[in-house]
Amino acid sequence: MLKSRERKKGLNLLNDTERKLLRILFNRNGHQNTRIVIPELARFAQRETGQIRKALEKLREERFIEWEDTMDYVRVIPGWLQAR
């Protein structure tokens, strides 16, 4: 039922991997403000690196994070929580 309400509002839903990565990145950037690399993200999220890259691309497209495939650093865009 929640999904149907969110679709009516026009919100794009994130899958489990994307939500998990966003939460990890948000907590890591907010508390420790350190760089995190993809193998470390894969270990924290308990996912394969291919899944991590795909989820990071989706989060970048949805403008939750700033990330380039060549960059070693992922940054959460401030204010995403209030905007959603």
Side-chain angles (χ1 to χ4, degrees):
M1 188 150 156
L2 179 63
K3 289 182 181 181
S4 65
R5 273 193 237 142
E6 288 177 341
R7 283 188 190 139
K8 287 180 184 176
K9 292 180 182 178
L11 297 178
N12 293 327
L13 301 175
L14 299 175
N15 67 28
D16 291 340
T17 302
E18 293 157 0
R19 279 195 309 271
K20 192 169 194 174
L21 283 180
L22 190 58
R23 182 54 51 197
I24 290 168
L25 292 168
F26 180 77
N27 288 334
R28 184 71 176 242
N29 287 349
H31 294 265
Q32 297 174 354
N33 201 21
T34 59
R35 293 178 182 234
I36 186 166
V37 293
I38 290 178
E40 193 174 16
L41 268 176
R43 185 173 54 89
F44 287 152
Q46 298 177 345
R47 304 288 198 274
E48 298 292 324
T49 55
Q51 290 176 302
I52 298 297
R53 287 186 187 281
K54 186 188 240 184
L56 288 175
E57 281 294 325
K58 172 76 174 181
L59 291 172
R60 186 180 58 81
E61 288 171 7
E62 295 290 328
R63 301 181 56 100
F64 285 105
I65 63 170
E66 290 178 350
W67 174 71
E68 292 294 327
D69 198 16
T70 58
M71 286 176 33
D72 194 26
Y73 182 65
V74 179
R75 187 173 83 83
V76 177
I77 297 174
W80 67 267
L81 202 53
Q82 293 84 11
R84 296 285 172 175

